[in-house]
PDB file of all heavy atoms in Angstrom:
ATOM      1  N   SER A   1     -16.556-126.615-124.203  1.00 91.00           N
ATOM      2  CA  SER A   1     -17.391-125.585-124.829  1.00 91.00           C
ATOM      3  C   SER A   1     -17.058-124.233-124.226  1.00 91.00           C
ATOM      4  O   SER A   1     -16.536-124.134-123.114  1.00 91.00           O
ATOM      5  CB  SER A   1     -18.875-125.894-124.655  1.00 91.00           C
ATOM      6  OG  SER A   1     -19.238-125.870-123.280  1.00 91.00           O
ATOM      7  N   ILE A   2     -17.380-123.177-124.986  1.00 91.00           N
ATOM      8  CA  ILE A   2     -17.161-121.795-124.551  1.00 91.00           C
ATOM      9  C   ILE A   2     -18.454-121.030-124.813  1.00 91.00           C
ATOM     10  O   ILE A   2     -18.935-121.001-125.950  1.00 91.00           O
ATOM     11  CB  ILE A   2     -15.995-121.146-125.315  1.00 91.00           C
ATOM     12  CG1 ILE A   2     -14.710-121.963-125.148  1.00 91.00           C
ATOM     13  CG2 ILE A   2     -15.776-119.709-124.847  1.00 91.00           C
ATOM     14  CD1 ILE A   2     -13.590-121.540-126.073  1.00 91.00           C
ATOM     15  N   SER A   3     -19.014-120.403-123.803  1.00 86.00           N
ATOM     16  CA  SER A   3     -20.283-119.698-123.932  1.00 86.00           C
ATOM     17  C   SER A   3     -20.072-118.276-124.448  1.00 86.00           C
ATOM     18  O   SER A   3     -19.080-117.623-124.116  1.00 86.00           O
ATOM     19  CB  SER A   3     -20.997-119.643-122.586  1.00 86.00           C
ATOM     20  OG  SER A   3     -22.162-118.833-122.673  1.00 86.00           O
ATOM     21  N   MET A   4     -21.022-117.801-125.257  1.00 82.00           N
ATOM     22  CA  MET A   4     -21.015-116.431-125.755  1.00 82.00           C
ATOM     23  C   MET A   4     -22.063-115.583-125.032  1.00 82.00           C
ATOM     24  O   MET A   4     -22.437-114.517-125.500  1.00 82.00           O
ATOM     25  CB  MET A   4     -21.287-116.416-127.255  1.00 82.00           C
ATOM     26  CG  MET A   4     -20.257-117.166-128.054  1.00 82.00           C
ATOM     27  SD  MET A   4     -20.632-117.104-129.816  1.00 82.00           S
ATOM     28  CE  MET A   4     -19.345-118.163-130.454  1.00 82.00           C
ATOM     29  N   PHE A   5     -22.524-116.030-123.905  1.00 79.00           N
ATOM     30  CA  PHE A   5     -23.581-115.345-123.173  1.00 79.00           C
ATOM     31  C   PHE A   5     -22.996-114.221-122.325  1.00 79.00           C
ATOM     32  O   PHE A   5     -21.942-114.353-121.724  1.00 79.00           O
ATOM     33  CB  PHE A   5     -24.314-116.333-122.273  1.00 79.00           C
ATOM     34  CG  PHE A   5     -25.587-115.787-121.693  1.00 79.00           C
ATOM     35  CD1 PHE A   5     -26.733-115.715-122.466  1.00 79.00           C
ATOM     36  CD2 PHE A   5     -25.641-115.348-120.389  1.00 79.00           C
ATOM     37  CE1 PHE A   5     -27.909-115.218-121.938  1.00 79.00           C
ATOM     38  CE2 PHE A   5     -26.820-114.844-119.856  1.00 79.00           C
ATOM     39  CZ  PHE A   5     -27.958-114.782-120.636  1.00 79.00           C
ATOM     40  N   GLY A   6     -23.711-113.072-122.287  1.00 77.00           N
ATOM     41  CA  GLY A   6     -23.354-111.990-121.375  1.00 77.00           C
ATOM     42  C   GLY A   6     -22.442-110.930-121.937  1.00 77.00           C
ATOM     43  O   GLY A   6     -21.907-110.121-121.174  1.00 77.00           O
ATOM     44  N   TYR A   7     -22.283-110.867-123.255  1.00 78.00           N
ATOM     45  CA  TYR A   7     -21.363-109.895-123.834  1.00 78.00           C
ATOM     46  C   TYR A   7     -22.058-108.779-124.607  1.00 78.00           C
ATOM     47  O   TYR A   7     -21.398-107.873-125.101  1.00 78.00           O
ATOM     48  CB  TYR A   7     -20.380-110.607-124.770  1.00 78.00           C
ATOM     49  CG  TYR A   7     -19.405-111.495-124.036  1.00 78.00           C
ATOM     50  CD1 TYR A   7     -19.681-112.839-123.831  1.00 78.00           C
ATOM     51  CD2 TYR A   7     -18.208-110.997-123.533  1.00 78.00           C
ATOM     52  CE1 TYR A   7     -18.801-113.661-123.157  1.00 78.00           C
ATOM     53  CE2 TYR A   7     -17.311-111.812-122.859  1.00 78.00           C
ATOM     54  CZ  TYR A   7     -17.617-113.149-122.673  1.00 78.00           C
ATOM     55  OH  TYR A   7     -16.742-113.964-122.008  1.00 78.00           O
ATOM     56  N   THR A   8     -23.383-108.809-124.736  1.00 73.00           N
ATOM     57  CA  THR A   8     -24.096-107.766-125.462  1.00 73.00           C
ATOM     58  C   THR A   8     -24.455-106.621-124.523  1.00 73.00           C
ATOM     59  O   THR A   8     -24.303-106.717-123.305  1.00 73.00           O
ATOM     60  CB  THR A   8     -25.375-108.321-126.101  1.00 73.00           C
ATOM     61  OG1 THR A   8     -26.282-108.718-125.061  1.00 73.00           O
ATOM     62  CG2 THR A   8     -25.073-109.509-126.984  1.00 73.00           C
ATOM     63  N   SER A   9     -24.957-105.541-125.133  1.00 67.00           N
ATOM     64  CA  SER A   9     -25.423-104.421-124.317  1.00 67.00           C
ATOM     65  C   SER A   9     -26.595-104.842-123.442  1.00 67.00           C
ATOM     66  O   SER A   9     -26.824-104.268-122.382  1.00 67.00           O
ATOM     67  CB  SER A   9     -25.826-103.255-125.221  1.00 67.00           C
ATOM     68  OG  SER A   9     -26.763-103.684-126.197  1.00 67.00           O
ATOM     69  N   ASP A  10     -27.356-105.828-123.901  1.00 69.00           N
ATOM     70  CA  ASP A  10     -28.404-106.438-123.086  1.00 69.00           C
ATOM     71  C   ASP A  10     -27.872-107.786-122.616  1.00 69.00           C
ATOM     72  O   ASP A  10     -27.839-108.748-123.374  1.00 69.00           O
ATOM     73  CB  ASP A  10     -29.675-106.637-123.911  1.00 69.00           C
ATOM     74  CG  ASP A  10     -30.796-107.286-123.099  1.00 69.00           C
ATOM     75  OD1 ASP A  10     -30.550-107.657-121.935  1.00 69.00           O
ATOM     76  OD2 ASP A  10     -31.907-107.415-123.641  1.00 69.00           O
ATOM     77  N   PRO A  11     -27.405-107.876-121.374  1.00 65.00           N
ATOM     78  CA  PRO A  11     -26.731-109.103-120.921  1.00 65.00           C
ATOM     79  C   PRO A  11     -27.633-110.333-120.946  1.00 65.00           C
ATOM     80  O   PRO A  11     -27.137-111.450-120.845  1.00 65.00           O
ATOM     81  CB  PRO A  11     -26.300-108.757-119.487  1.00 65.00           C
ATOM     82  CG  PRO A  11     -27.174-107.629-119.072  1.00 65.00           C
ATOM     83  CD  PRO A  11     -27.477-106.858-120.313  1.00 65.00           C
ATOM     84  N   ALA A  12     -28.948-110.135-121.073  1.00 66.00           N
ATOM     85  CA  ALA A  12     -29.852-111.279-121.145  1.00 66.00           C
ATOM     86  C   ALA A  12     -29.881-111.910-122.530  1.00 66.00           C
ATOM     87  O   ALA A  12     -30.457-112.966-122.714  1.00 66.00           O
ATOM     88  CB  ALA A  12     -31.265-110.863-120.740  1.00 66.00           C
ATOM     89  N   LYS A  13     -29.285-111.236-123.508  1.00 68.00           N
ATOM     90  CA  LYS A  13     -29.300-111.734-124.872  1.00 68.00           C
ATOM     91  C   LYS A  13     -27.945-112.344-125.238  1.00 68.00           C
ATOM     92  O   LYS A  13     -26.906-111.769-124.929  1.00 68.00           O
ATOM     93  CB  LYS A  13     -29.628-110.599-125.853  1.00 68.00           C
ATOM     94  CG  LYS A  13     -31.038-110.041-125.711  1.00 68.00           C
ATOM     95  CD  LYS A  13     -32.071-111.041-126.205  1.00 68.00           C
ATOM     96  CE  LYS A  13     -33.463-110.427-126.191  1.00 68.00           C
ATOM     97  NZ  LYS A  13     -34.479-111.374-126.676  1.00 68.00           N
ATOM     98  N   PRO A  14     -27.950-113.471-125.927  1.00 68.00           N
ATOM     99  CA  PRO A  14     -26.679-114.065-126.367  1.00 68.00           C
ATOM    100  C   PRO A  14     -26.249-113.526-127.719  1.00 68.00           C
ATOM    101  O   PRO A  14     -27.008-112.856-128.414  1.00 68.00           O
ATOM    102  CB  PRO A  14     -27.036-115.547-126.482  1.00 68.00           C
ATOM    103  CG  PRO A  14     -28.481-115.527-126.913  1.00 68.00           C
ATOM    104  CD  PRO A  14     -29.101-114.319-126.233  1.00 68.00           C
ATOM    105  N   LEU A  15     -25.021-113.806-128.084  1.00 76.00           N
ATOM    106  CA  LEU A  15     -24.501-113.455-129.405  1.00 76.00           C
ATOM    107  C   LEU A  15     -24.318-114.734-130.223  1.00 76.00           C
ATOM    108  O   LEU A  15     -23.683-115.680-129.757  1.00 76.00           O
ATOM    109  CB  LEU A  15     -23.153-112.744-129.289  1.00 76.00           C
ATOM    110  CG  LEU A  15     -23.204-111.263-128.928  1.00 76.00           C
ATOM    111  CD1 LEU A  15     -21.804-110.776-128.581  1.00 76.00           C
ATOM    112  CD2 LEU A  15     -23.772-110.447-130.079  1.00 76.00           C
ATOM    113  N   PRO A  16     -24.849-114.777-131.426  1.00 77.00           N
ATOM    114  CA  PRO A  16     -24.641-115.961-132.258  1.00 77.00           C
ATOM    115  C   PRO A  16     -23.201-116.033-132.759  1.00 77.00           C
ATOM    116  O   PRO A  16     -22.612-115.032-133.153  1.00 77.00           O
ATOM    117  CB  PRO A  16     -25.599-115.750-133.438  1.00 77.00           C
ATOM    118  CG  PRO A  16     -26.534-114.663-133.001  1.00 77.00           C
ATOM    119  CD  PRO A  16     -25.767-113.818-132.047  1.00 77.00           C
ATOM    120  N   GLY A  17     -22.630-117.227-132.739  1.00 80.00           N
ATOM    121  CA  GLY A  17     -21.295-117.431-133.266  1.00 80.00           C
ATOM    122  C   GLY A  17     -21.326-117.595-134.778  1.00 80.00           C
ATOM    123  O   GLY A  17     -22.219-118.228-135.332  1.00 80.00           O
ATOM    124  N   ARG A  18     -20.351-117.010-135.444  1.00 83.00           N
ATOM    125  CA  ARG A  18     -20.271-117.107-136.901  1.00 83.00           C
ATOM    126  C   ARG A  18     -18.922-117.721-137.285  1.00 83.00           C
ATOM    127  O   ARG A  18     -18.569-118.785-136.818  1.00 83.00           O
ATOM    128  CB  ARG A  18     -20.480-115.722-137.528  1.00 83.00           C
ATOM    129  CG  ARG A  18     -21.863-115.125-137.210  1.00 83.00           C
ATOM    130  CD  ARG A  18     -22.090-113.833-137.961  1.00 83.00           C
ATOM    131  NE  ARG A  18     -23.360-113.231-137.593  1.00 83.00           N
ATOM    132  CZ  ARG A  18     -24.530-113.529-138.133  1.00 83.00           C
ATOM    133  NH1 ARG A  18     -24.604-114.453-139.076  1.00 83.00           N
ATOM    134  NH2 ARG A  18     -25.640-112.926-137.740  1.00 83.00           N
ATOM    135  N   GLU A  19     -18.190-117.043-138.156  1.00 89.00           N
ATOM    136  CA  GLU A  19     -16.921-117.568-138.664  1.00 89.00           C
ATOM    137  C   GLU A  19     -15.892-117.726-137.547  1.00 89.00           C
ATOM    138  O   GLU A  19     -15.894-116.983-136.566  1.00 89.00           O
ATOM    139  CB  GLU A  19     -16.399-116.618-139.741  1.00 89.00           C
ATOM    140  CG  GLU A  19     -15.108-117.039-140.399  1.00 89.00           C
ATOM    141  CD  GLU A  19     -15.234-118.327-141.168  1.00 89.00           C
ATOM    142  OE1 GLU A  19     -15.019-119.380-140.539  1.00 89.00           O
ATOM    143  OE2 GLU A  19     -15.528-118.294-142.379  1.00 89.00           O
ATOM    144  N   ILE A  20     -15.005-118.713-137.705  1.00 93.00           N
ATOM    145  CA  ILE A  20     -13.945-118.965-136.733  1.00 93.00           C
ATOM    146  C   ILE A  20     -12.645-119.243-137.483  1.00 93.00           C
ATOM    147  O   ILE A  20     -12.645-119.948-138.496  1.00 93.00           O
ATOM    148  CB  ILE A  20     -14.323-120.142-135.805  1.00 93.00           C
ATOM    149  CG1 ILE A  20     -13.201-120.441-134.807  1.00 93.00           C
ATOM    150  CG2 ILE A  20     -14.670-121.381-136.597  1.00 93.00           C
ATOM    151  CD1 ILE A  20     -13.610-121.436-133.742  1.00 93.00           C
ATOM    152  N   VAL A  21     -11.537-118.652-137.008  1.00 95.00           N
ATOM    153  CA  VAL A  21     -10.217-118.888-137.604  1.00 95.00           C
ATOM    154  C   VAL A  21      -9.190-119.018-136.482  1.00 95.00           C
ATOM    155  O   VAL A  21      -9.406-118.540-135.366  1.00 95.00           O
ATOM    156  CB  VAL A  21      -9.789-117.757-138.571  1.00 95.00           C
ATOM    157  CG1 VAL A  21     -10.683-117.703-139.791  1.00 95.00           C
ATOM    158  CG2 VAL A  21      -9.747-116.404-137.856  1.00 95.00           C
ATOM    159  N   PHE A  22      -8.063-119.656-136.814  1.00 96.00           N
ATOM    160  CA  PHE A  22      -6.975-119.848-135.856  1.00 96.00           C
ATOM    161  C   PHE A  22      -5.716-119.163-136.359  1.00 96.00           C
ATOM    162  O   PHE A  22      -5.476-119.073-137.570  1.00 96.00           O
ATOM    163  CB  PHE A  22      -6.682-121.342-135.666  1.00 96.00           C
ATOM    164  CG  PHE A  22      -7.785-122.106-135.011  1.00 96.00           C
ATOM    165  CD1 PHE A  22      -8.742-122.759-135.777  1.00 96.00           C
ATOM    166  CD2 PHE A  22      -7.886-122.183-133.634  1.00 96.00           C
ATOM    167  CE1 PHE A  22      -9.771-123.473-135.181  1.00 96.00           C
ATOM    168  CE2 PHE A  22      -8.901-122.889-133.022  1.00 96.00           C
ATOM    169  CZ  PHE A  22      -9.855-123.532-133.799  1.00 96.00           C
ATOM    170  N   THR A  23      -4.879-118.711-135.421  1.00 96.00           N
ATOM    171  CA  THR A  23      -3.553-118.242-135.803  1.00 96.00           C
ATOM    172  C   THR A  23      -2.743-119.452-136.263  1.00 96.00           C
ATOM    173  O   THR A  23      -3.010-120.579-135.830  1.00 96.00           O
ATOM    174  CB  THR A  23      -2.854-117.551-134.624  1.00 96.00           C
ATOM    175  OG1 THR A  23      -2.819-118.447-133.488  1.00 96.00           O
ATOM    176  CG2 THR A  23      -3.585-116.274-134.230  1.00 96.00           C
ATOM    177  N   PRO A  24      -1.756-119.249-137.136  1.00 94.00           N
ATOM    178  CA  PRO A  24      -0.995-120.393-137.649  1.00 94.00           C
ATOM    179  C   PRO A  24      -0.327-121.238-136.573  1.00 94.00           C
ATOM    180  O   PRO A  24      -0.151-122.443-136.768  1.00 94.00           O
ATOM    181  CB  PRO A  24       0.047-119.731-138.561  1.00 94.00           C
ATOM    182  CG  PRO A  24      -0.600-118.459-138.997  1.00 94.00           C
ATOM    183  CD  PRO A  24      -1.389-117.989-137.815  1.00 94.00           C
ATOM    184  N   ASP A  25       0.050-120.624-135.437  1.00 94.00           N
ATOM    185  CA  ASP A  25       0.677-121.403-134.372  1.00 94.00           C
ATOM    186  C   ASP A  25      -0.348-122.105-133.485  1.00 94.00           C
ATOM    187  O   ASP A  25       0.033-122.874-132.592  1.00 94.00           O
ATOM    188  CB  ASP A  25       1.598-120.529-133.514  1.00 94.00           C
ATOM    189  CG  ASP A  25       0.858-119.369-132.833  1.00 94.00           C
ATOM    190  OD1 ASP A  25      -0.393-119.351-132.846  1.00 94.00           O
ATOM    191  OD2 ASP A  25       1.527-118.465-132.297  1.00 94.00           O
ATOM    192  N   GLY A  26      -1.641-121.862-133.718  1.00 95.00           N
ATOM    193  CA  GLY A  26      -2.683-122.543-132.975  1.00 95.00           C
ATOM    194  C   GLY A  26      -2.915-122.036-131.574  1.00 95.00           C
ATOM    195  O   GLY A  26      -3.693-122.628-130.810  1.00 95.00           O
ATOM    196  N   ARG A  27      -2.283-120.927-131.212  1.00 95.00           N
ATOM    197  CA  ARG A  27      -2.427-120.439-129.839  1.00 95.00           C
ATOM    198  C   ARG A  27      -3.716-119.642-129.622  1.00 95.00           C
ATOM    199  O   ARG A  27      -4.261-119.640-128.526  1.00 95.00           O
ATOM    200  CB  ARG A  27      -1.220-119.576-129.464  1.00 95.00           C
ATOM    201  CG  ARG A  27       0.078-120.334-129.405  1.00 95.00           C
ATOM    202  CD  ARG A  27       1.233-119.426-129.009  1.00 95.00           C
ATOM    203  NE  ARG A  27       2.493-120.165-128.950  1.00 95.00           N
ATOM    204  CZ  ARG A  27       3.659-119.622-128.640  1.00 95.00           C
ATOM    205  NH1 ARG A  27       3.722-118.315-128.352  1.00 95.00           N
ATOM    206  NH2 ARG A  27       4.749-120.347-128.620  1.00 95.00           N
ATOM    207  N   LYS A  28      -4.152-118.937-130.649  1.00 96.00           N
ATOM    208  CA  LYS A  28      -5.344-118.105-130.507  1.00 96.00           C
ATOM    209  C   LYS A  28      -6.374-118.448-131.571  1.00 96.00           C
ATOM    210  O   LYS A  28      -6.035-118.868-132.679  1.00 96.00           O
ATOM    211  CB  LYS A  28      -4.983-116.618-130.616  1.00 96.00           C
ATOM    212  CG  LYS A  28      -4.238-116.079-129.429  1.00 96.00           C
ATOM    213  CD  LYS A  28      -4.232-114.550-129.407  1.00 96.00           C
ATOM    214  CE  LYS A  28      -3.424-113.945-130.519  1.00 96.00           C
ATOM    215  NZ  LYS A  28      -3.283-112.482-130.365  1.00 96.00           N
ATOM    216  N   ALA A  29      -7.636-118.253-131.209  1.00 97.00           N
ATOM    217  CA  ALA A  29      -8.737-118.364-132.158  1.00 97.00           C
ATOM    218  C   ALA A  29      -9.502-117.052-132.146  1.00 97.00           C
ATOM    219  O   ALA A  29      -9.553-116.348-131.120  1.00 97.00           O
ATOM    220  CB  ALA A  29      -9.669-119.518-131.787  1.00 97.00           C
ATOM    221  N   TYR A  30     -10.097-116.723-133.296  1.00 96.00           N
ATOM    222  CA  TYR A  30     -10.959-115.547-133.411  1.00 96.00           C
ATOM    223  C   TYR A  30     -12.322-116.017-133.892  1.00 96.00           C
ATOM    224  O   TYR A  30     -12.421-116.801-134.843  1.00 96.00           O
ATOM    225  CB  TYR A  30     -10.382-114.535-134.403  1.00 96.00           C
ATOM    226  CG  TYR A  30      -9.063-113.940-133.983  1.00 96.00           C
ATOM    227  CD1 TYR A  30      -7.865-114.547-134.346  1.00 96.00           C
ATOM    228  CD2 TYR A  30      -9.014-112.773-133.215  1.00 96.00           C
ATOM    229  CE1 TYR A  30      -6.652-113.998-133.962  1.00 96.00           C
ATOM    230  CE2 TYR A  30      -7.798-112.222-132.834  1.00 96.00           C
ATOM    231  CZ  TYR A  30      -6.623-112.840-133.204  1.00 96.00           C
ATOM    232  OH  TYR A  30      -5.420-112.300-132.820  1.00 96.00           O
ATOM    233  N   VAL A  31     -13.366-115.527-133.231  1.00 94.00           N
ATOM    234  CA  VAL A  31     -14.733-115.903-133.587  1.00 94.00           C
ATOM    235  C   VAL A  31     -15.557-114.641-133.782  1.00 94.00           C
ATOM    236  O   VAL A  31     -15.647-113.801-132.881  1.00 94.00           O
ATOM    237  CB  VAL A  31     -15.385-116.795-132.508  1.00 94.00           C
ATOM    238  CG1 VAL A  31     -16.840-117.075-132.851  1.00 94.00           C
ATOM    239  CG2 VAL A  31     -14.627-118.103-132.368  1.00 94.00           C
ATOM    240  N   ALA A  32     -16.139-114.498-134.970  1.00 90.00           N
ATOM    241  CA  ALA A  32     -17.067-113.390-135.214  1.00 90.00           C
ATOM    242  C   ALA A  32     -18.385-113.725-134.543  1.00 90.00           C
ATOM    243  O   ALA A  32     -18.958-114.793-134.766  1.00 90.00           O
ATOM    244  CB  ALA A  32     -17.260-113.186-136.715  1.00 90.00           C
TER     245      ALA A  32
END
């Protein structure tokens, strides 16, 4: 698992994960 905690302007608040896509070679993922 990968946590999305601690990246907002208010570090006590999490960010909800939305859409996810991968590069064709599978090396990187992008998550909105």
